[in-house]
Amino acid sequence: MNTRIRFILLEGLRTSWPICMGYFPIGLAFGVLGQKAGLNPFQIGMMSLLVFAGSSQFIAVSMLSSGAEVMSIAMTTFVINLRHFLMSSSLVVYLQQAGWKFLSAFAYGITDESFAVNMTRFRANEWGKYRALAVNQWANAAWVASTVIGGMGGEFIPAGSFGIDYALSAMFIALLVFQLRGRIYVMTALLAGVLAVALALLIPGNSYVVLASLLAATAGFALKKYAQKKKGIHV
């Protein structure tokens, strides 16, 4: 390994270690939940490697446990991951000289946390594309490793122990709370909850989750646009 590659990897590790430390307990919890859902450590590792999206993996495992159809799982995780389009579009501004092969490898590793770290460094004009790629891949390695370890350890943890079965609900509640930055966001969240309950009574399966999310997001967007036209209204 030459000096330049070693420097890039070490710089990426120094920058990404807080992300890796944060991923480890969540990855362990996911691994345990995956094992309780019937997945073996290899399957858990492959899901983490191929999907690499914590929130989507949590909800996919939850839906698998409840016997959801494959199409419902795919549509739900697709909607959840739509934010990656926006994050990728924001970062590509700093990667305009990179080829499609590099962009493909880089896009694979984008998460909320790595996006925040890399965007901050890029904006400060103190970052390069290979160091940003190293951040993504170190985070990916930490996530895959922690989920596999969790899957292996899940065999020795009784179902429901330590509140692990509540990990998914707790994570999404926390994510929701952090997004409530104004009245429009609160109204959208409440509308999504009401629609989900109402549609669950009318539509069989789990597709009501996707439909409620799309309807609430559309209504929230329309409300925000309307409010922005009114002077003095904080949204």
Side-chain angles (χ1 to χ4, degrees), residues 122-190:
F122 276 128
R123 286 175 174 171
N125 295 318
E126 57 181 29
W127 211 226
K129 64 179 184 179
Y130 290 111
R131 284 184 283 181
L133 179 64
V135 168
N136 290 2
Q137 299 310 314
W138 278 118
N140 176 254
W143 175 252
V144 174
S146 61
T147 58
V148 171
I149 293 172
M152 296 171 64
E155 299 179 6
F156 308 101
I157 300 176
S161 298
F162 312 114
I164 289 177
D165 54 342
Y166 183 64
L168 177 65
S169 301
M171 184 187 73
F172 278 102
I173 290 173
L175 291 174
L176 173 63
V177 170
F178 287 129
Q179 294 299 316
L180 301 180
R181 296 169 296 183
R183 288 176 292 177
I184 298 295
Y185 297 91
V186 175
M187 292 172 63
T188 303
L190 291 174

Side-chain angles (χ1 to χ4, degrees), residues 77-140:
T77 54
F78 176 77
V79 171
I80 292 172
N81 285 335
L82 279 175
R83 69 190 187 282
H84 286 81
F85 283 100
L86 299 176
M87 292 190 290
S88 299
S89 300
S90 299
L91 286 169
V92 78
V93 174
Y94 303 95
L95 303 169
Q96 293 183 1
Q97 304 304 316
W100 69 268
K101 291 182 179 179
F102 177 90
L103 291 176
S104 297
F106 185 82
Y108 158 78
I110 294 176
T111 63
D112 301 89
E113 296 79 15
S114 64
F115 166 78
V117 169
N118 283 326
M119 180 59 80
T120 300
R121 294 300 184 95
F122 276 128
R123 286 175 174 171
N125 295 318
E126 57 181 29
W127 211 226
K129 64 179 184 179
Y130 290 111
R131 284 184 283 181
L133 179 64
V135 168
N136 290 2
Q137 299 310 314
W138 278 118
N140 176 254

